[in-house]
Amino acid sequence: MKPTSPIYVTRPSLPPLQELIPHLERIWESRFLTNGGHYHEQLEAALCRYLGVEHVALFANGTLALMVALQALELTGEVITTPYSFVATAHSVLWNRLDPVFVDIDPRTMNMDPAGIEAAITSRTTAILPVHCYGHACDVDAIQSVADTHGLKVIYDAAHAFGVRLRGESLLRHGDLSVLSFHATKVFNTFEGGAIVCPDAATKARIDLLKNFGIVDETTVSELGLNGKMSEFNAALGFLQLDHVDEAVRQRRVIDATYRSRLAGVRGITCLESVDPAGKNCAYFPVRVEDDYPLDRDGLHERLREHDIYARRYFYPLISSFPMYAGLPSADPKRLPAAVDAAARVLCLPIYPGLTQEEQALIIDLIERV
Ligand code: T4K
């Protein structure tokens, strides 16, 4: 049986349109459309309160935020990162003319293995760029300990980790900087958008300078900045979305729990779980397709597609296999066995507010019936 309309891996959350209109009227009246207006300020302050952090710098998207985060820390040489992520993670390293060095992941968490990080450090290493993959927290204590021992910066790619808590505290407080994405496909979206969570006002001021061309005043440009600013429209949208994000996560949790209870009995399907389930945001629902399942991962992916269900193979292919990275010694698949295995086995099932019980039952039935 097919669903009445295609089921995608995610669908964006949207505030009621009528709630947006008064804010649009305000923007139209003020004619301040960008360059740090009313909504930009409001959203930065509201995000600090919601996330439980001190300083947030908004961006036009997560990729620009990553690029500026690396630039702001004045890194040189090599940055250790993961091959098991969205390509923007490693691209931000190359855009800064730094050398990415890939290390393998921990097969239990899909996050970078701290022991692998330590082994990859050379005299040229200046930073570590881990990803809280699927919003599941990295081993932040072990990573910080490696960084402290070797004098390295830590920039977390927290694109999936909006609102995630670890041991009751915001996950975004770890590392030197954390970078969020507010893309349409994320738990919290501003259509396109992103942010850097900064530890202090001085760092935020420098990041604000870099995201605005490096302009100090009408006649002074002090840095090679870029245009990473979020517009008033996106900021107003985000301001509204914040009122709905708790409900969105609540709905995601219900879907997550249903998958877990029903798939627990399916031989060959393993659900991945966060290290701290109480603080998770259920941004994704990744499963591993094991050898004792009747189909391999690509077979299951295809079977669901035949029924108009568009699960996604996040993250296949590995970043390290793309042409701009494949020649690096650290990109050799033999050095990345857990990442190669995960890229061949993991499938992200649909999860988003508005996915109906019937739709989810259809997905689970198909997985069971194979
Ligand atoms: N770091 C990490 C770890 C990331 O995952 C990402 C982005 C970044 C950095 C960079 O942040 P941004 O610069 O993007 O802010 C998507 C997203 O485009 C990307 O933001 C995201 N990660 C990545 C994991 O997924 P695609 O190529 O899978 O997107 P797409 O267009 O195929 O969308 C997936 C499904 O979502 C569609 O099948 C239908 C649905 N959809 C999508 C859009 C855009 C909608 O229903 N409505 C929509 O507007 O990359």
Side-chain angles (χ1 to χ4, degrees):
M1 207 176 77
K2 280 194 177 189
T4 44
S5 51
I7 302 176
Y8 297 106
V9 69
T10 189
R11 296 317 313 268
S13 300
L14 288 170
L17 197 51
Q18 65 274 19
E19 281 186 18
L20 183 62
I21 305 294
H23 298 286
L24 292 185
E25 282 171 355
R26 186 176 172 151
I27 294 172
W28 257 242
E29 267 164 33
S30 77
R31 297 209 202 178
F32 271 99
L33 311 184
T34 186
N35 288 6
H38 168 78
Y39 284 103
H40 191 276
E41 240 173 61
Q42 294 290 308
L43 181 57
E44 285 193 343
L47 281 171
C48 285
R49 286 192 298 273
Y50 182 85
L51 296 170
V53 298
E54 270 80 50
H55 302 278
V56 167
L58 293 174
F59 274 80
N61 59 62
T63 305
L64 287 168
L66 273 174
M67 287 162 59
V68 168
L70 295 175
Q71 186 194 4
L73 296 178
E74 296 179 349
L75 307 176
T76 57
E78 295 173 357
V79 175
I80 299 175
T81 190
T82 172
Y84 191 74
S85 179
F86 187 62
V87 71
T89 307
H91 273 8
S92 68
V93 178
L94 272 196
W95 270 100
N96 275 283
R97 297 179 187 271
L98 298 163
D99 299 324
V101 174
F102 297 109
V103 301
D104 207 2
I105 56 170
D106 178 334
R108 293 164 304 172
T109 63
M110 309 296 166
N111 287 328
M112 276 164 83
D113 176 9
I117 297 173
E118 184 131 46
I121 293 170
T122 72
S123 58
R124 297 186 65 237
T125 310
T126 55
I128 310 169
L129 175 58
V131 179
H132 298 301
C133 195
Y134 309 127
H136 298 175
C138 291
D139 188 344
V140 289
D141 297 334
I143 291 173
Q144 195 58 53
S145 153
V146 173
D148 290 344
T149 306
H150 298 272
L152 308 177
K153 301 284 187 194
V154 182
I155 305 97
Y156 281 106
D157 181 338
H160 305 168
F162 186 88
V164 174
R165 301 182 78 76
L166 178 66
R167 304 185 290 251
E169 277 222 334
S170 172
L171 179 60
L172 306 171
R173 299 177 76 89
H174 290 275
D176 293 275
L177 297 171
S178 286
V179 178
L180 291 162
S181 165
F182 305 150
H183 182 260
T185 54
K186 299 296 192 290
V187 167
F188 167 82
N189 84 78
T190 57
F191 284 17
E192 291 274 4
I196 301 180
V197 175
C198 320
D200 53 65
T203 309
K204 174 168 156 53
R206 178 157 160 70
I207 284 170
D208 284 343
L209 182 80
L210 292 172
K211 80 174 187 195
N212 187 30
F213 311 97
I215 294 176
V216 178
D217 59 35
E218 272 184 33
T219 54
T220 321
V221 175
S222 64
E223 303 252 8
L224 178 64
L226 46 66
N227 182 358
K229 292 171 276 110
M230 176 181 277
S231 83
E232 283 292 272
F233 175 80
N234 300 96
L237 199 58
F239 192 61
L240 275 180
Q241 297 275 47
L242 263 188
D243 287 343
H244 301 280
V245 70
D246 284 342
E247 171 58 17
V249 172
R250 191 195 64 74
Q251 290 186 36
R252 286 173 176 274
R253 282 180 168 270
V254 172
I255 295 165
D256 177 286
T258 304
Y259 274 135
R260 280 179 203 285
S261 70
R262 287 210 43 206
L263 293 175
V266 181
R267 188 137 66 100
I269 297 291
T270 310
C271 301
L272 304 182
E273 180 59 295
S274 162
V275 289
D276 184 355
K280 68 186 179 182
N281 67 0
C282 304
Y284 295 85
F285 196 85
V287 298
R288 270 176 63 95
V289 182
E290 313 288 4
D291 287 338
D292 50 354
Y293 190 71
L295 294 174
D296 64 9
R297 189 278 312 275
D298 289 348
L300 177 59
H301 178 242
E302 190 50 40
R303 179 64 58 88
L304 293 173
R305 280 177 81 92
E306 285 162 9
H307 291 80
D308 276 355
I309 295 162
Y310 297 94
R312 288 294 289 266
R313 293 171 292 184
Y314 297 133
F315 288 97
Y316 164 83
L318 292 178
I319 300 177
S320 46
S321 71
F322 294 132
M324 60 298 285
Y325 303 106
L328 298 172
S330 66
D332 182 347
K334 289 201 276 305
R335 301 171 74 152
L336 306 167
V340 169
D341 186 59
R345 290 191 185 278
V346 174
L347 191 63
C348 286
L349 301 181
I351 184 166
Y352 52 89
L355 181 74
T356 65
Q357 284 179 3
E358 295 71 29
E359 288 171 325
Q360 192 180 12
L362 187 66
I363 298 164
I364 296 169
D365 287 348
L366 279 166
I367 296 171
E368 278 175 342
R369 263 194 281 123
V370 168

